[in-house]
Amino acid sequence: MDFALSEAQQRWHDAAVRFAREELSDDLPGRDERREFWREGWRRCARFGVQGLPIPAELGGQGQGLPETIAAMEGLAYGCPDNGLLFAINASMWTNAIPILRYGTEPQKRRYLPGLCDGSLVGANGASETEAGSDIFSMTTSAERQGDHWKLNGRKTWVTSGPVADLFVCYATTDPSRGVLGLSAFIIPKDTPGFRVVREIKKLGVRTVPMGEIAFEDCRVPLENLLGREGRGADVFNCSMEWERGAIPACALGTMRRQLERCVEHARTRKQFGKPIGKFQSVANKIVDMRLRLETSRPLVYK
Ligand SMILES: Cc1cc2nc3c(=O)[nH]c(=O)nc-3n(C[C@H](O)[C@H](O)[C@H](O)COP(=O)(O)OP(=O)(O)OC[C@H]3O[C@@H](n4cnc5c(N)ncnc54)[C@H](O)[C@@H]3O)c2cc1C
């Protein structure tokens, strides 16, 4: 079977590698130490077209299909070791822009998608709560219709990019008696009255993307910011998770390839006991295992 990339996919992949190597390597150890989100890197990615890859051109994106998008994301991670920046981009694309593209009204799409593509907006996703993790649809954040707005109350946690994001797609229950069919999705800009970032959650890894806890305190969300139909928030959430779970591994592929190449280089050049350490079988075996994982993962991700 032929697993080769098409010409267009290869072009996106190679262009992303070149772009990442040339423009995304500034002071990563320093930013990692300072736990710093790199806005300039975010903007550079947007100028290249990363955030808008799967978004139609008329809404500010590149209008690419999923395989081209995946190829570009693989190339991006192969060239860019800043896994925090890549994680933030993935969160924004799959859990914010894509649900808006898929479920948004025309005015919602025109209002938010160009900014998510051109780098002026960082998107985030607020679903998890302290007591609702794997059991996500047991969330208790509530949304009550009041005149011309929804009143939201509750807290969301583990929000990737939470402390720096401009736009949130969040989930709340509009009818607790209906369980999963009582959930709805909302688009919430960070300056919405009653919305605030409670705290940053410090992590041991992926430190160049901040994570946060956010709160809605009688938060007034305009009625037109309901995303999708009332009571169909689970569909919006499932759509975002399907894209996220399918697409984030593209970056993992690029990262695995970069790390494999570094390890091979090190095993060839580092000498102990008078020979390159790659000549020792236990080191060589590890490298073979890495290669095997990469080779078997790629067709899975593209499939
Ligand atoms: C890096 C990172 C970024 C994140 N970003 C976001 C974000 O942007 N927005 C957001 O809303 N959330 C985010 N999350 C939260 C994430 O979605 C939750 O961590 C996830 O849903 C799991 O919930 P939990 O951590 O509470 O684990 P729990 O649900 O408490 O699970 C603990 C363990 O129990 C296991 N378990 C649970 N239920 C079952 C079961 N029925 N059968 C067998 N095993 C089970 C789990 O597999 C796990 O091993 C992020 C998490 C991480 C780690």
Side-chain angles (χ1 to χ4, degrees):
M1 281 177 79
D2 183 10
F3 291 106
L5 298 184
S6 73
E7 220 174 282
Q9 292 155 14
Q10 192 68 52
R11 221 177 19 250
W12 272 105
H13 175 276
D14 296 349
V17 174
R18 269 194 310 277
F19 156 73
R21 284 184 174 154
E22 284 165 17
E23 296 200 42
L24 296 180
S25 57
D26 307 18
D27 188 29
L28 176 57
R31 283 186 284 107
D32 182 69
E33 205 169 309
R34 296 190 296 277
R35 299 168 182 276
E36 193 176 283
F37 178 68
W38 191 30
R39 273 269 175 184
E40 175 54 25
W42 180 272
R43 285 190 210 102
R44 288 180 193 178
C45 287
R47 275 201 295 276
F48 176 79
V50 176
Q51 288 92 322
L53 277 164
I55 307 295
E58 62 271 23
L59 292 165
Q62 303 298 319
Q64 293 303 307
L66 189 53
E68 288 73 24
T69 300
I70 293 293
M73 298 306 279
E74 182 187 350
L76 189 72
Y78 176 59
C80 169
D82 186 343
N83 56 6
L85 179 66
L86 298 178
F87 199 71
I89 288 174
N90 275 290
S92 187
M93 287 171 75
W94 317 124
T95 69
N96 194 294
I98 285 288
I100 293 176
L101 176 67
R102 176 89 189 270
Y103 290 94
T105 59
E106 282 309 312
Q108 285 173 340
K109 289 193 249 188
R110 281 198 300 276
R111 180 154 185 202
Y112 298 114
L113 289 175
L116 288 166
C117 294
D118 72 16
S120 50
L121 296 178
V122 174
N125 151 61
S128 303
E129 299 176 0
T130 319
E131 300 304 324
S134 305
D135 187 12
I136 189 66
F137 297 137
S138 68
M139 65 178 70
T140 57
T141 293
S142 65
E144 213 181 301
R145 191 194 286 258
Q146 285 195 341
D148 65 349
H149 65 274
W150 294 93
K151 188 178 79 176
L152 267 68
N153 278 293
R155 282 190 180 200
K156 298 288 177 183
T157 190
W158 316 127
V159 179
T160 295
S161 303
V164 295
D166 307 290
L167 190 69
F168 295 79
V169 166
C170 293
Y171 301 85
T173 173
T174 39
D175 185 351
S177 71
R178 302 200 68 209
V180 69
L181 292 176
L183 299 179
S184 301
F186 300 88
I187 302 173
I188 306 181
K190 69 172 178 198
D191 54 3
T192 305
F195 172 86
R196 74 184 171 96
V197 176
V198 179
R199 66 182 179 111
E200 179 169 346
I201 300 168
K202 292 217 166 97
K203 300 193 265 43
L204 291 171
V206 208
R207 299 197 302 183
T208 53
V209 56
M211 176 181 257
E213 185 176 331
I214 58 176
F216 312 104
E217 290 154 346
D218 290 339
C219 177
R220 290 170 65 95
V221 178
L223 289 185
E224 66 263 24
N225 282 29
L226 179 73
L227 179 60
R229 283 163 50 199
E230 184 179 344
R232 302 309 292 263
D235 295 349
V236 181
F237 179 77
N238 287 337
C239 160
S240 72
M241 288 299 107
E242 190 177 354
W243 278 76
E244 189 181 66
R245 286 172 188 152
I248 286 185
C251 283
L253 283 183
T255 304
M256 287 161 79
R257 183 172 156 213
R258 173 165 39 77
Q259 291 179 344
L260 171 63
E261 288 177 6
R262 280 191 73 181
C263 289
V264 169
E265 182 60 23
H266 189 64
R268 278 194 183 131
T269 52
R270 170 68 178 165
K271 289 193 177 131
Q272 287 288 275
F273 302 97
K275 47 181 167 176
I277 57 170
K279 295 285 179 199
F280 300 119
Q281 198 173 23
S282 61
V283 174
N285 280 344
K286 287 195 179 80
I287 288 176
V288 169
D289 286 345
M290 290 172 76
R291 176 76 192 245
L292 201 62
R293 279 190 219 112
L294 175 61
E295 292 295 324
T296 50
S297 300
R298 178 173 285 115
L300 263 184
V301 172
Y302 279 85
K303 182 163 184 275

